[in-house]
Amino acid sequence: MPRPLRPALPLAAALLAASPSAAQAQGLSPQEQAIVRYVDAHADEAVDFLERVVNINSGTLNVEGVREVGRAFQAPLDSLGFDARWIALPDSMRRAGHLFAYRQGTRGRRVLLIGHLDTVFERDHPFQRFTREGRWATGPGVNDMKGGDVVILYALKALHAAGALEGTTITVAFTGDEESPGAPLAEARRHLVEAGHASDVALEFETASRDSTGEYATTARRGHNEWVLRVTGRQAHSSGVFSEGAGSGAIFEAARILTAFHEELRGEQYLTFNPGVIVGGTGVEFNEDEGRGTAFGKSNVIAQSAVVQGDLRTLTVEQLDRARERMRQIVARHLPRTQAEITFAEGYPPMAPTEGNQALLDLLNTVNRDLGSPAIGAWDPGRRGAADVSFVAPFTDALAGLGVHGTGAHAPGERVDLETLPMQVKRAALLIYRLTR
């Protein structure tokens, strides 16, 4: 017999039966207890809303789909007293734009909440629908990161129901192209950076982390930048390779440089670099935007050209600058009759660890204590990719990875643990509450 698609006991009732009531929670004020009660009472509604938005395809290049998901969030944000606005990007960027929502007040710290509306699953991908079975649900973007967006929305709903939004300054930033940012990146993230400058705290709701030892939030994450290495040599008959007149050729020079990167830069904590694609030969064509190229050559001809494209990840700006300089120095040691140049594109900056970020985690753990939940640790920054929070981390205290718990992000079968959704909403709502008192 197939298992039922929904548990016999509604999620809200199951949570209330399995966990202490709000009144039993230690250290919660009456208003905070009201926030917790709202979350428990609306747990099934939150899942239904998640199903609704997951079933709207919003692959980054599906401009109308991303906008439709934005509209699904815009209406409830407006009803909570936010000024929700769709921010269009230039047509040349071929991206949908972003949804930003604002509340202006005078009480507490100014808080920025960050999510994104797009997924990696475009319209032609076979993985398209939300499917629920017991405590788990699968679907495109169900944890990365429509689940996190739902955490933001229902945390704000709970605060509103308890009368706790009055007087607060909160900005919600839902970007529409996190999975494949539009170019130029400075323009694609201009409004987010402006929001960061106008905020004291940034909370980002990408997928939460956990392992066999417990749960974690993110106080630091590495940035992501790209580089392109272009090499030229002297085309000549291969019988003369290594001679003074012919030299070593472009492919040997590219190999020398990559080997030196591997031997001289590898091993520094949180520094990684990866050559993702290489083409070389007598004639080379390469498209940097698509990471795609073609090459022609013959075994008896010394290669004239080679192109390598790769990435570079670091934890701090200082580490990034140091790595770039070392790479330039390696490139400059040319083999005979060759030339090489490496260029670096601006990408996602690092979110460096700071005392302010740690203080946010400490505050979150007071929430966990008062909810009767175990403390959360700081996730290893080497295990997280780049994200939008990094653009504002230089101007704010920041905490990330506050979304839902799930598995398989970016892959067919991506899923979310629905029983963890209410706790993530409670944590977010109470953290925002305490920041804005």
Side-chain angles (χ1 to χ4, degrees), residues 209-230:
S209 302
R210 64 182 176 185
D211 60 21
S212 60
T213 65
E215 297 182 63
Y216 300 86
T218 299
T219 58
R221 62 195 313 158
R222 297 187 300 167
H224 177 265
N225 292 263
E226 293 190 349
W227 50 268
V228 175
L229 173 68
R230 295 187 177 274

Side-chain angles (χ1 to χ4, degrees), residues 4-84:
L5 292 181
R6 292 188 179 272
L9 192 63
L11 184 58
L15 287 161
L16 288 170
S19 60
S21 70
Q24 293 172 308
Q26 299 298 311
L28 297 182
S29 70
Q31 195 169 33
E32 289 177 324
Q33 291 177 26
I35 291 168
V36 170
R37 286 194 297 270
Y38 179 95
V39 175
D40 284 335
H42 293 79
D44 289 311
E45 178 188 311
V47 173
D48 290 341
F49 187 86
L50 176 61
E51 179 176 4
R52 173 188 167 193
V53 294
V54 167
N55 283 336
I56 302 170
N57 177 274
S58 59
T60 308
L61 301 182
N62 181 5
V63 169
E64 182 49 41
V66 174
R67 289 174 179 164
E68 186 177 351
V69 174
R71 288 191 289 270
F73 282 94
Q74 184 170 5
L77 286 169
D78 279 332
S79 72
L80 299 179
F82 283 83
D83 175 14

Side-chain angles (χ1 to χ4, degrees), residues 230 277 279 285-294 307 309:
R230 295 187 177 274
V277 60
V279 291
E285 294 184 359
F286 185 73
N287 185 312
E288 291 184 27
D289 292 334
E290 298 180 3
R292 183 189 306 273
T294 60
V307 180
Q309 186 177 49

